[in-house]
Amino acid sequence: APRWAHHSLWLTAWGLFLSVVRRAGDWRVQGFALQMVLTGVACVILCPLGSGGVRERIHSVTAAAYMADHHMYFRAMGTPRRYVAAFWGCFLTFAAGTLAV
């Protein structure tokens, strides 16, 4: 049940975000946002952590891509550097843990 609660809230938030991007963003921003949510769906819903086998590898690759996608939005939104640095610190921790497995 907690997994589906997460999925419901996450998809609802993405739906709200995409509705804003559809109204305010050009086709490049809209396409990038759609690509990002589809990457997240593949990562979190279709191939969740602990799936095993090829789905585990898909999860790892899409998780890295999804995190990297955030950096593009940070630049577009003018996010202060300290927050971007904290994000990349988390990303490096993720990468180190993934490589250790």
Side-chain angles (χ1 to χ4, degrees):
R3 178 180 295 192
W4 292 106
H6 165 268
H7 296 343
S8 297
L9 293 171
W10 185 80
L11 289 169
T12 299
W14 263 109
L16 292 170
F17 179 72
L18 290 174
S19 72
V20 171
V21 167
R22 198 174 104 233
R23 283 181 279 137
D26 67 16
W27 65 271
R28 292 168 295 200
V29 173
Q30 293 171 4
F32 187 80
L34 182 59
Q35 170 277 140
M36 192 172 171
V37 73
L38 292 175
T39 300
V41 166
C43 177
V44 177
I45 297 174
L46 300 178
C47 300
L49 186 62
S51 296
V54 71
R55 288 175 64 201
E56 190 75 23
R57 305 226 359 103
I58 292 169
H59 174 84
S60 295
V61 170
T62 55
Y66 185 74
M67 290 181 73
D69 283 344
H70 282 79
H71 187 71
M72 298 296 287
Y73 275 112
F74 290 154
R75 295 191 90 190
M77 294 186 298
T79 303
R81 287 184 187 199
R82 68 181 177 272
Y83 298 121
V84 175
F87 173 84
W88 281 109
C90 292
F91 180 81
L92 292 174
T93 301
F94 160 78
T98 300
L99 293 174
V101 173

